[in-house]
Amino acid sequence: MQVGEATAPRLLVTGEHAPARHPHVATAVEAGAIGTAAAAAIISMLNKVVLPAGRDQTDAVEQILVEQAPGLTLDQLAKIIARAEAWLDPDGVAPREEDGLTQPISISTARRMAAGRA
């Protein structure tokens, strides 16, 4: 799914308007807080795990990721996204010890990584 499609308001078959599939990413992109590369990385992971993890869990992680993404390099963000994916869908991701991805993500872990202390 492209960033534009995932962050734009939707029109349902009933004619009703619905919010973007990824409203936190949409808000961050619109505000200029994150770029399209970061948005695409976040959206891609969320779309992979929404079925096993559920909408509530992915929405909460989406919010955490867009709060942590500003100021991070794409490599730093990718590490946080990988941890988030492992936490959201532990059966679908094989954590790799050499990458330090064996621990689930937490808000404090994400904040430490964003500050360069993890």
Side-chain angles (χ1 to χ4, degrees), residues 7-23:
T7 59
R10 298 173 290 148
L11 183 63
L12 303 177
V13 293
T14 60
E16 296 177 273
H17 292 278
R21 289 190 196 284
H22 299 288

Side-chain angles (χ1 to χ4, degrees), residues 8 13 41 51 80 91 112 115:
V13 293
L51 289 178
I80 294 173
D91 295 331
R112 281 194 314 275

Side-chain angles (χ1 to χ4, degrees), residues 26-76:
T27 300
V29 169
E30 187 176 303
I34 64 172
T36 56
I42 294 168
I43 289 167
S44 176
M45 182 278 293
L46 293 172
N47 288 343
K48 284 194 283 186
V49 299
V50 70
L51 289 178
R55 177 58 64 188
D56 290 342
Q57 290 287 350
T58 55
D59 184 65
V61 169
E62 177 184 350
Q63 184 173 5
I64 291 168
L65 290 173
V66 298
E67 288 172 359
Q68 298 303 313
L72 296 179
T73 67
L74 287 177
D75 287 340
Q76 291 169 326

